[in-house]
Amino acid sequence: MSYPRKHLLAIEGLEPPHIADLLDLAESYALLNRSGKTQRDLLKGRTLINLFFEDSTRTRTSFELAGKRLGADVINMSVSTSSVNKGETLLDTASTLNAMHCDLLVVRHGQSGAPSLLSQKVDAAVINAGDGTHEHPTQALLDALTIRRHKGRLEGLVVAICGDIAHSRVARSNMHLLTTMGSRVRVVGPPTLIPAEAARLGVEVFHDMKAGLAGADVVMMLRLQRERMSGGLVPSAREFFRFYGLDAEKLAHAKPESIVMHPGPMNRGVEIDSAIADHPTRSVIGEQVEMGVACRMAVLDVLSRQLPRNR
Ligand code: ASP
């Protein structure tokens, strides 16, 4: 197993063998989970703290489930009940976590770079569960695993990532992972929602759904991240749906066997039509959630192997 780091802060900088090994391990956890068996010894005696400064449904619960399935003691620190609301700084929180001998720290924060800052101050291995508009590395891993299970590979696939690319850490992690693994990545959205760095990341830019989806193997839809937008970057939700919302008519331009993905939470009728979101054969949105648990087990497994025993 080739994973070169103590933490998982970003996909950027990982090389193909690191990603492939993580996905292979996650695949074996996916099979184990489906068989109903658990592996409760691996993280026995380890403490995993989920520290979430932003809302989350899937990510927080799946890290909790992943930690428990591997036998860790899991603590969820909800920021609304912690001292952060009383003015404690991020770094004071870090020293508290150190004193508790936390082994694995899962952090979500509204500020890009916050998990990286914490990783310099805590003894624990830190996993970025989404920081600002920067990265969401475990989401990209679970997306890649879901794609690989359906298409058998990542190399050479045409993947169209659509909607609010500029504010999406999911898009950023996926662009890094998929281009590293040899996929042909397209980003599709209005000019106001495409980041200037897209070209540097080696992806093709489209402003028209018909052209962007033509011949795609994978169509990945994203939520409009209004909480990160300053000013009106998009017209009304209705108009956005008309031009960029995925419905049967637009999906018809992708390959007939293409799959539809969404990291959640979905805004039905804004970026995706309900009939597509719930499509029995094309939508793999439920499977993404399932693969999320497997990928997070793989990440916890790999990072825990590098922790000193008896801390
Ligand atoms: N759940 C994802 C994230 O935390 C996507 C989203 O919020 O739209 O980035």
Side-chain angles (χ1 to χ4, degrees):
M1 177 79 215
S2 61
Y3 185 79
R5 312 220 165 110
K6 177 179 174 189
H7 310 285
L8 176 62
L9 300 172
I11 295 292
E12 184 173 16
L14 293 183
E15 285 166 25
H18 311 143
I19 294 169
D21 281 359
L22 276 170
L23 295 180
D24 290 343
L25 184 61
E27 177 73 49
S28 68
Y29 277 120
L31 296 175
L32 192 77
N33 288 343
R34 281 199 178 175
S35 77
K37 292 190 197 114
T38 45
Q39 234 264 49
R40 296 224 182 253
D41 287 344
L42 200 79
L43 296 186
K44 202 161 187 265
R46 299 288 193 192
T47 303
L48 183 158
I49 298 186
N50 266 327
L51 181 62
F52 278 62
F53 294 89
E54 270 193 351
D55 296 343
S56 169
T57 312
R58 284 152 289 269
T59 308
R60 196 192 56 71
T61 15
S62 66
F63 267 114
E64 182 176 354
L65 203 53
K68 285 182 173 162
R69 287 204 177 147
L70 295 175
D73 297 319
V74 181
I75 293 158
N76 292 315
M77 266 182 76
S78 151
V79 173
S80 59
T81 56
S82 82
S83 299
V84 177
N85 276 354
K86 298 179 189 163
E88 190 170 79
T89 67
L90 192 58
L91 298 184
D92 286 337
T93 307
S95 0
T96 308
L97 296 171
N98 265 346
M100 288 175 182
H101 300 291
C102 162
D103 296 293
L104 294 147
L105 179 64
V106 178
V107 190
R108 169 168 289 190
H109 201 285
Q111 210 65 44
S112 301
S116 166
L117 180 68
L118 267 176
S119 74
Q120 294 160 32
K121 303 290 170 190
V122 294
D123 300 326
V126 175
I127 301 156
N128 178 4
D131 62 331
T133 60
H134 174 228
E135 281 225 31
H136 191 351
T138 55
Q139 177 73 46
L141 288 169
L142 75 89
D143 288 341
L145 182 61
T146 308
I147 297 173
R148 220 178 61 164
R149 287 170 68 92
H150 282 266
K151 301 289 166 197
R153 65 186 208 283
L154 296 171
E155 203 182 342
L157 292 179
V158 176
V159 182
I161 308 178
C162 312
D164 183 0
I165 314 294
H167 303 99
S168 174
R169 51 199 179 203
V170 173
R172 208 153 275 105
S173 286
N174 266 305
M175 287 191 269
H176 285 300
L177 190 152
L178 292 167
T179 52
T180 302
M181 299 309 276
S183 307
R184 289 172 49 204
V185 180
R186 299 173 178 171
V187 290
V188 191
T192 48
L193 297 182
I194 302 284
E197 66 184 318
R200 179 184 69 82
L201 295 178
V203 303
E204 277 183 280
V205 176
F206 291 80
H207 300 305
D208 173 60
M209 284 289 271
K210 189 174 156 188
L213 262 54
D217 298 283
V218 177
V219 182
M220 192 183 289
M221 301 310 298
L222 299 172
R223 181 177 67 89
L224 285 178
Q225 313 245 318
R226 292 195 189 272
E227 72 275 24
R228 300 187 211 289
M229 289 182 197
S230 49
L233 296 178
V234 278
S236 65
R238 228 171 105 181
E239 231 184 319
F240 183 83
F241 182 75
R242 187 163 151 235
F243 289 105
Y244 293 102
L246 188 65
D247 55 12
E249 196 188 320
K250 296 191 190 80
L251 185 59
H253 297 286
K255 285 198 181 141
E257 67 281 9
S258 60
I259 54 170
V260 175
M261 309 179 77
H262 195 304
M266 272 188 282
N267 284 320
R268 292 166 183 259
V270 180
E271 72 270 3
I272 190 162
D273 185 44
S274 265
I276 302 297
D278 302 328
H279 195 284
T281 54
R282 307 290 287 276
S283 168
V284 296
I285 296 169
E287 190 176 334
Q288 284 176 269
V289 179
E290 181 188 355
M291 292 309 124
V293 178
C295 282
R296 285 158 185 143
M297 288 171 85
V299 169
L300 296 177
D301 176 341
V302 166
L303 296 186
S304 71
R305 292 184 208 185
Q306 308 182 30
L307 289 170
R309 272 277 145 213
N310 305 323
R311 287 209 297 139

